[in-house]
Amino acid sequence: MKLNLPLVRLLVVKDWQLFQKQLATYVLAGIVALCFLGLAESWAFYVGSLMLLIVMVAAACFSISTSLVVERKEQTLSFVMSLPVSPLDFTISKLAGNLITFAVPFVILLGGTLATVLLTPLPDGLFVYALLIFAYILFAFAISLSVAMSVESEGWATFAMIGSMVLINPYIMALAQIPDIDQRTRVDAVVWTLPAVGILISLVVLSIAVLGATTWFHARKPAFN
Amino acid sequence: MSSELSHERVHYLDHLRALAMLAGVLFHAALAYSPLMSGYFPTADRQNSPWVDAVVWGSHLVRMPLFFLIAGFSAAWMLERRGAGGLFRQRMRRIALPLVVAWPLVHWALSASTVWAARSVENPSAVLALVRYLTELPDPPSAPITLAHLWFLYYLLLFTVLHWAFRTLGLARYGERAIRGAAAWVLLGLPLLVAPALATVSAPHPAPESPLPQFWAIAFYGAFFALGAFVHGAPDWLTRARALAPWLIVGCCALYAAFLWRLDAEPPGEAHPSASWTVALLEAFLSVWLTVLCLLAGQRLLQRPSATLQYLARSSYWVYLLHLPILFALQYALMDFELAWPLKFALAGAGTLALCLLSYHLLVARTPLRRFVG
């Protein structure tokens, strides 16, 4: 099946324009969070890192909610079906639109966080830890996006979003139980341990696999349903 | 006038930007002979003069604010002509790429020349003496990673993102409303807005060299960037501000005298880690008023195309990128010479400018590099 690329582009631009205001808010909040981290004070570190987490989780949820759940509720799909667009075009546009709107704050904040760890008196061991946290947010985003694309129910989509994001708490606690990860966060050096690398690779591979499987599944659909 | 500005090259802004960049080279050269900086600047010479302090801190208050004001004007101009996509691509090509390429090179060059000077110079500055002590330790610490003088590129990128965010959220309308009112409101209100930011750092305000964004620098320089963007939308503001120019000149003379007096009483250091509110207010008013005066003077005197100024404008970006490693190397080499400080200043300043302009002529002016740094 051939992609109608100009139309996919238009659909992505539409999602981008709808999401722009929220994205601008998240980028502003993210820069404020990085400024807090840059103060290199312990209280500012906690305020900044908490803000970063909130911004990332909110950015992931809002992008999915605006482009899929709300759209479905407002019957936008009926309008899209009147366009010369196949299920594959629609899937790719949703995937690309969400990935772009999520990737912009994700990349900026990931880069900022890693720079903070490396360039301030904070222990460099937090570098790997920060990567593990961001990898989990990526994974939770992939799960939420896949569920929202695959189910019709708003309830299940919301459950997947909230559930996967809230699970970051037990995930952080679980990381604290692994001595090879927890002890390294206090060391002023970037140390790659086997558990850390294993978790990181697993989360990234799983995220890609989940998104790939969702795309493959939708690409095979002959019609919207 | 707005449409005129939109479609024609605004020569005086190009020329002012070039002069601000070149003033930066002379400013950095002069810091080596500033009594106030003798304990903090790596190339601080044995000789210094209070006359240097009397001049350089005035230029410090206006140089970068003027540069950011022009940058804000240019960003709004480009946004109007080429849209957000065009502005983004231009910023990537002209700012992000040069920053990524130049940063490691500048860091390496400054570190290498400083370590060489710490080992070789017989009359080292306080900073060089400290570097010498640290490098002789069995386990010497690595040099702190800073953006050096390239911090302005980093903040330009940051302000481009903030500019987009503020416009998208519709927050720019408050500034647009203020700029359409009486010019005096901005001239009195803007200093009051930026003074709290200056009160959180030492006076004279330092360069925000950390790779992490700093609240004070965003508030201070961001205010000038925003003013530039707003002036683009309401260019008649300059005409209205011109009527107040005589008052601004008198005010600046009085405030600068007060600033130097307070600076002498409250020198930066452990006793005064951040500026007092008095000094912060003086800095804020001087920055805003001097910057606006420079803009008005530029509009009056520099609008006519000039081959020399245009060449300097084209080369100024390259010169600024390159100047600090060359300047430091020359000043380190001059440290042990028994020459009067004005002569050393002239040799270092002229030598740096000559080498930078020569390299521009050979490497940039007629090569593809000019698309990036020309």
Side-chain angles (χ1 to χ4, degrees), chain B residues 59-93:
Chain B
S59 83
H60 184 54
L61 288 169
V62 67
R63 193 172 50 81
M64 293 315 286
L66 178 64
F67 170 77
F68 277 108
L69 191 149
I70 295 168
F73 186 98
S74 308
W77 180 80
M78 193 157 292
L79 199 65
E80 188 184 88
R81 289 193 73 172
R82 298 187 196 167
L87 176 66
F88 176 78
R89 282 190 294 276
Q90 193 260 8
R91 296 284 139 145
M92 286 296 113
R93 177 169 54 86

Side-chain angles (χ1 to χ4, degrees), chain B residues 220-240:
Chain B
F220 180 58
Y221 294 116
F224 288 97
F225 187 94
L227 179 62
F230 292 137
V231 167
H232 173 265
D236 61 312
W237 184 83
L238 283 177
T239 315
R240 283 178 279 134

Side-chain angles (χ1 to χ4, degrees), chain A residues 119, chain B residues 107 111 134 141-147:
Chain A
L119 305 170
Chain B
H107 181 73
S111 301
L134 291 173
S142 51
I145 297 174
T146 70
L147 292 163

